[in-house]
Amino acid sequence: MIDYKMNTFMAVCKTLNFTQASKELNITQPAVSNHIKAIEEEYGIDLFRFQGKKVILTEEGRLLLNLISSMTNDIEHFKDYLSHNRSKIRLNFGTTLSIGEYVMSPILTKIISKESELSLRMVVENTQKLLELLDTGKIDFAIIEGYFKINSYQSKVFKKDRLIPVCSKNYMDKDNVEVKEIFDNWLFIREEGSGTREVLDRTLRGMNYSIDDFKNISEIGNLNTIKALVENGLGISFLYESVVEKEIKNGNLREILLTDFRAEHDFTFLWKEGSFYSDYYENLFEILKGE
C-alpha cells in the first residue's frame, strides 16, 4: 500500500496546486505542505519549485512520480490478479476511440474465440484520460494514437496509420491542391485531448497553419457522427485510414488528395516505465499484435 504522504504528493502533481490537492484529499492545506516537506526531508530533494504562484515539478519530483505511479499500477495489478482465476489471460486496458472501434474489434474477436480462460476489460477514452488511468493503476496498459512523455512509459509500436482528409464522393472536385485551399470548408473534428485532434494540430502547426484557419469548426466526440455528417456533404474531416476504410471502399467517402499534407502516426502500446510486470506486458503485446 502506498504511504499516505505519497498519495498527497501524487495529488499535488496532478493539480499543481496545494489548495486544490487539499480539497481532493479532504485534508487541510497545511497538512499537504507538511506531507510534501516530510518527503523532501526524507529523500533530501526538492519536489517542487515556485514561480510566483505557479507550482512546477522538479526533475527529482518527476522521477519520484514515475516510480510511485509504477508502484501504484503494479499493486493494483497484483490485487486484481489475486482476486481472480490466476490461470486466466488478463486484459485490463484502454484504447482511444479510433483504435477501440476500428482496430481492436477483429483482434478481440479472434482472442475471445480461442481463449476460454480470459479476463477482459477495455476502456475507451481519449489519450489524455487514458494516461491518467494508467498513472493511477486503473488500467494496466493502453493503446493510444496521441503523444505521451517518453520517459514515463515503456512503449512499442502497435500499428502505423495515415491521417487523411476525407469528404463525400461528390462534395468537392478539388484534388492535388495545397492544404490551404481547403480551409474554406466546414471541418468536423474530435475534441481536444483526443489523439486524432493532436496529430492534426501538430501536423498543421509544422506547416505554419492551425486548425483555426478553417472557415468553420465543429468539435464532435463520436466518430460515427463525424462520418455521417461528412457523408451527407456538410463538410470535411481528417480521420485515420483504418477508420474510413469501409466508407472509402463502398464509395460513401473519398480521400482529398493534397500535395503538401502527409501525416502518418504510430498507434502505441504502452505501460508504466519500470513496471515489475514489463515482461508480462511484452508478452501481451505479442499476443495482440499476432492476432
Side-chain angles (χ1 to χ4, degrees):
M1 185 174 182
I2 301 297
D3 181 87
Y4 67 92
K5 295 189 294 294
M6 290 301 180
N7 285 328
T8 301
F9 169 62
M10 292 179 70
V12 177
C13 289
K14 176 184 175 183
T15 62
L16 292 178
N17 185 295
F18 279 55
T19 301
Q20 186 61 38
S22 70
K23 291 179 180 178
E24 289 195 6
L25 296 170
N26 198 28
I27 60 177
T28 65
Q29 184 174 331
V32 170
S33 299
N34 288 337
H35 292 174
I36 299 301
K37 183 179 180 181
I39 298 172
E40 291 178 329
E41 290 178 349
E42 180 177 355
Y43 291 97
I45 59 175
D46 291 327
L47 297 174
F48 303 97
R49 58 187 176 87
F50 301 87
Q51 289 183 352
K53 293 184 178 180
K54 187 176 182 181
V55 179
I56 300 172
L57 187 65
T58 65
E59 178 61 20
E60 292 82 2
R62 184 189 65 79
L63 292 172
L64 181 60
L65 176 62
N66 287 343
L67 174 63
I68 298 303
S69 295
S70 295
M71 289 174 60
T72 300
N73 189 290
D74 287 348
I75 288 170
E76 292 302 317
H77 182 132
F78 185 63
K79 286 163 61 178
D80 191 72
Y81 167 76
L82 292 177
S83 64
H84 291 83
N85 185 335
R86 300 174 195 181
S87 65
K88 286 185 176 182
I89 293 178
R90 181 178 183 274
L91 297 176
N92 175 33
F93 69 108
T95 74
T96 54
L97 189 59
S98 298
I99 297 171
E101 290 193 10
Y102 299 98
V103 176
M104 293 308 299
S105 294
I107 294 173
L108 292 179
T109 297
K110 290 180 181 179
I111 291 177
I112 291 171
S113 65
K114 286 172 24 179
E115 300 290 342
S116 59
E117 296 292 327
L118 175 68
S119 173
L120 173 64
R121 174 177 177 264
M122 185 179 85
V123 177
V124 178
E125 287 285 358
N126 65 39
T127 295
Q128 183 177 324
K129 181 63 177 178
L130 289 175
L131 294 177
E132 291 177 8
L133 294 175
L134 192 54
D135 289 342
T136 54
K138 300 297 189 300
I139 57 176
D140 296 335
F141 64 93
I143 307 176
I144 66 171
E145 72 220 51
Y147 295 88
F148 58 94
K149 294 179 180 178
I150 194 168
N151 292 331
S152 298
Y153 307 94
Q154 290 180 250
S155 63
K156 298 177 77 71
V157 176
F158 190 75
K159 174 184 170 66
K160 289 182 179 290
D161 207 351
R162 289 197 308 139
L163 186 70
I164 60 175
V166 293
C167 66
S168 63
K169 184 177 182 180
N170 300 313
Y171 175 70
M172 57 187 291
D173 57 8
K174 288 183 179 180
D175 261 327
N176 297 312
V177 295
E178 295 181 354
V179 68
K180 65 183 179 182
E181 296 182 60
I182 64 170
F183 284 159
D184 59 346
N185 291 280
W186 199 307
L187 177 68
F188 298 106
I189 190 65
R190 290 284 309 283
E191 76 285 356
E192 290 189 15
S194 74
T196 305
R197 170 71 171 262
E198 188 174 12
V199 171
L200 176 60
D201 183 50
R202 289 198 181 201
T203 303
L204 289 175
R205 282 193 280 114
M207 303 168 66
N208 290 319
Y209 298 126
S210 78
I211 290 174
D212 293 331
D213 288 326
F214 284 87
K215 178 182 177 181
N216 289 302
I217 303 167
S218 291
E219 294 184 358
I220 299 173
N222 184 282
L223 289 171
N224 287 325
T225 300
I226 291 176
K227 289 194 291 184
L229 291 168
V230 175
E231 283 183 28
N232 287 324
L234 299 176
I236 67 172
S237 188
F238 287 77
L239 297 168
Y240 283 108
E241 197 167 17
S242 58
V243 171
V244 293
E245 181 179 8
K246 179 179 177 181
E247 289 77 10
I248 289 178
K249 187 175 181 178
N250 64 27
N252 290 339
L253 292 176
R254 73 173 186 88
E255 179 180 356
I256 304 168
L257 301 178
L258 301 177
T259 60
D260 60 345
F261 181 92
R262 180 171 178 79
E264 184 177 76
H265 193 66
D266 294 341
F267 291 171
T268 306
F269 182 108
L270 76 167
W271 64 95
K272 286 300 296 182
E273 174 68 34
S275 172
F276 176 80
Y277 292 100
S278 287
D279 289 344
Y280 178 77
Y281 298 137
E282 292 263 9
N283 184 53
L284 286 182
F285 171 81
E286 295 300 332
I287 291 174
L288 294 175
K289 182 79 170 172
E291 297 297 337

